[in-house]
Amino acid sequence: MSKQKRNIRPWVVMFCMGLISAACLGSSMVLMGSFLAPLSQSLHTEISTLSYYYTVLVLAMAVMTPNVPKILAKVNNRILFAVASLAVAASLFLMPHFTNVWMFFLIAIVIGVAISFMSFTPVGILLDNWFSRKAGFAIGLCWAITSVFQGIMSPILSVLINKYGWEQSLTILAIIVAVLSIPCALFGVDFSPEQEGRKPYGYGEVQEQAQEDEEVKQVSNNELFKSATFWLLLAIVILLQFPAVLNQMFPTYAATTGFNAAVGGFMVTAAMLFDIFLNPLVGSTCDKYGAEKASLVWMAISVVSYVLLIVATNTHSANLAIFSAGVNDIFYVYLGTGITTIATAVLGKRAFAKGFSYVNSIAFLIGAFAMPVNNMIAEKFGGFNAVYIFFAVITVLIIVLIVVISKHHFEVKSN
């Protein structure tokens, strides 16, 4: 096998995983927001009631995530991802025919189980298997594909819903999900390059020896839970949950701050646009300078974004608010690309799959309540400035934890 073919295949896997996650996870979570209002009218229920779809979905993911690494390692990944993709597409296809709210909650369980194989944990595991070098950049590109898909589909769905109605639009979305994700799953995804007789991107003799050593001994739950690394990483990921949902709160921020509705929409758009290039940029800087060092710089920039948002609020500057929303997308990026690179660095190959799956499972449970907590702070303290201060304090805490965890790598402490 030529070196060129060996180098191309990992990028094909990355691209296919990106499209699968974009189509399935992006459609069932982010893009579903376009359908909540018409759905609530059709079912004669409140949007707040229907939004529990997300709560049920995230809880299903939380339950499934600890089992994901074992399933990925044991089951044919092409079939697994094809079935999961089909489950998401079929669920979206069935939704227009539902007549009761409980049906959406039931289907949310099915979707939650399916997309648990397309979230941060499985993407991190697969790409870490396929890349010995530039893993952070690959993960960033993968999530950038999701951002591009959401950025393109969001306005298209708005046009389709206005022209054809939400039922036909959701059916069209289901077909798009199937067309994009199922072929990618069947022809583009495998658990590891070794299953195809290949080596990971950037493979060398040093990596080969390290992998052989790591395969000899598997980390136990007892060893994992006794390590400071696991608990420090868990604290970081939990704290990330609160500021990372700010993208979804920008419309509410604009409405309650006196901006017109268009400003809130442009803030979301700015975040999406920044997301496209921030994902690979964050990943590549983590590869080049080390996950912890690069993260400290990005977190510091995040603090600046909160200062800018407070200034925009006090001066009622729409342009500054929109620009600041784009810069603040760093946190949304960190919940995917950034934290995956940090987890890979601090846990090491031996503990990454199991440790990161447990961390995300617990974080998903807490993350389901992040939005209500943030809104409560805004309501109790009379505006979003209090929320931005809260997020700035959280960011400083994360910076401190990153400094601490950089001195407590799992493999170093375990050997």
Side-chain angles (χ1 to χ4, degrees):
M1 184 183 300
S2 70
K3 184 177 180 181
Q4 184 179 11
K5 289 183 178 178
R6 184 170 61 189
N7 285 343
I8 290 175
R9 177 58 180 160
W11 297 104
V12 172
V13 174
M14 179 279 298
F15 181 76
C16 288
M17 278 304 304
L19 273 183
I20 293 169
S21 296
C24 295
L25 189 145
S27 295
S28 59
M29 294 196 74
V30 177
L31 296 181
M32 267 301 293
S34 301
F35 296 95
L36 289 184
L39 267 169
S40 65
Q41 294 174 4
S42 177
L43 295 173
H44 306 289
T45 187
E46 298 291 332
I47 293 179
S48 58
T49 300
L50 195 59
S51 64
Y52 278 104
Y53 157 88
Y54 290 105
T55 303
V56 175
L57 187 151
V58 171
L59 291 175
M61 291 178 67
V63 172
M64 275 299 300
T65 298
N67 303 303
V68 165
K70 292 181 181 178
I71 296 173
L72 287 175
K74 292 181 179 180
V75 177
N76 184 310
N77 280 204
R78 298 190 181 199
I79 296 176
L80 174 64
F81 281 95
V83 171
S85 300
L86 180 61
V88 175
S91 298
L92 296 176
F93 187 83
L94 289 172
M95 282 183 181
H97 306 285
F98 290 168
T99 55
N100 291 292
V101 175
W102 65 265
M103 294 179 177
F104 286 93
F105 300 154
L106 185 63
I107 208 69
I109 298 175
V110 176
I111 294 175
V113 171
I115 65 174
S116 64
F117 294 98
M118 305 160 188
S119 63
F120 312 130
T121 301
V123 168
I125 292 172
L126 264 65
L127 295 187
D128 190 50
N129 287 342
W130 278 91
F131 289 84
S132 289
R133 282 195 309 113
K134 296 187 178 181
F137 180 65
I139 292 168
L141 277 182
C142 181
W143 292 119
I145 292 171
T146 300
S147 301
V148 172
F149 176 78
Q150 291 171 178
I152 293 173
M153 286 304 301
S154 185
I156 290 177
L157 284 176
S158 297
V159 173
L160 290 175
I161 291 172
N162 289 332
K163 189 171 183 179
Y164 299 108
W166 71 269
E167 295 96 336
Q168 291 188 46
S169 300
L170 193 51
T171 300
I172 293 171
L173 181 61
I175 295 172
I176 292 173
V177 168
V179 169
L180 288 179
S181 60
I182 294 176
C184 283
L186 290 174
F187 302 107
V189 178
D190 276 312
F191 179 69
S192 68
E194 287 76 17
Q195 292 181 345
E196 298 182 10
R198 302 172 185 267
K199 298 299 181 182
Y201 183 88
Y203 173 84
E205 293 183 1
V206 175
Q207 288 90 343
E208 180 182 25
Q209 184 61 50
Q211 287 174 358
E212 290 176 353
D213 292 343
E214 287 166 352
E215 289 170 358
V216 172
K217 51 178 182 178
Q218 295 297 316
V219 64
S220 65
N221 287 344
N222 183 56
E223 187 180 4
L224 183 67
F225 296 146
K226 280 186 176 180
S227 70
T229 311
F230 175 82
W231 297 105
L232 288 167
L233 183 65
L234 177 60
I236 292 172
V237 179
I238 287 174
L239 289 173
L240 279 170
Q241 303 296 315
F242 295 89
V245 299
L246 183 56
N247 286 2
Q248 303 167 46
M249 300 178 70
F250 285 139
T252 303
Y253 160 74
T256 57
T257 309
F259 293 113
N260 60 49
V263 173
F266 282 127
M267 291 178 77
V268 174
T269 301
M272 282 185 172
L273 291 174
F274 271 69
D275 197 78
I276 293 171
F277 73 84
L278 277 176
N279 267 296
L281 183 59
V282 167
S284 62
T285 55
C286 287
D287 287 335
K288 185 174 182 179
Y289 302 107
E292 295 101 321
K293 289 181 180 178
S295 296
L296 293 176
V297 175
W298 288 113
M299 289 295 104
I301 296 173
S302 297
V303 174
V304 174
S305 75
Y306 295 125
V307 175
L308 293 177
L309 283 166
I310 291 173
V311 173
T313 303
N314 293 342
T315 61
H316 204 68
S317 173
N319 290 334
L320 182 58
I322 293 168
F323 172 75
S324 302
V327 177
N328 184 260
D329 187 70
I330 290 169
F331 248 107
Y332 188 73
V333 169
Y334 250 84
L335 196 58
T337 302
I339 198 60
T340 304
T341 60
I342 292 175
T344 303
V346 301
L347 290 173
K349 283 187 174 293
R350 192 165 70 92
F352 172 71
K354 179 180 284 189
F356 198 44
S357 65
Y358 278 124
V359 163
N360 278 326
S361 177
I362 298 170
F364 282 153
L365 290 172
I366 296 173
F369 303 96
M371 188 80 77
V373 170
N374 294 340
N375 283 323
M376 181 187 69
I377 292 173
E379 292 172 1
K380 186 171 182 179
F381 292 94
F384 269 75
N385 279 352
V387 177
Y388 296 145
I389 293 172
F390 172 58
F391 290 166
V393 171
I394 283 179
T395 308
V396 172
L397 288 175
I398 291 174
I399 289 173
V400 172
L401 288 172
I402 291 174
V403 172
V404 175
I405 204 171
S406 67
K407 306 179 187 303
H408 291 82
H409 283 207
F410 180 82
E411 291 299 341
V412 174
K413 291 297 179 182
S414 300
N415 292 340

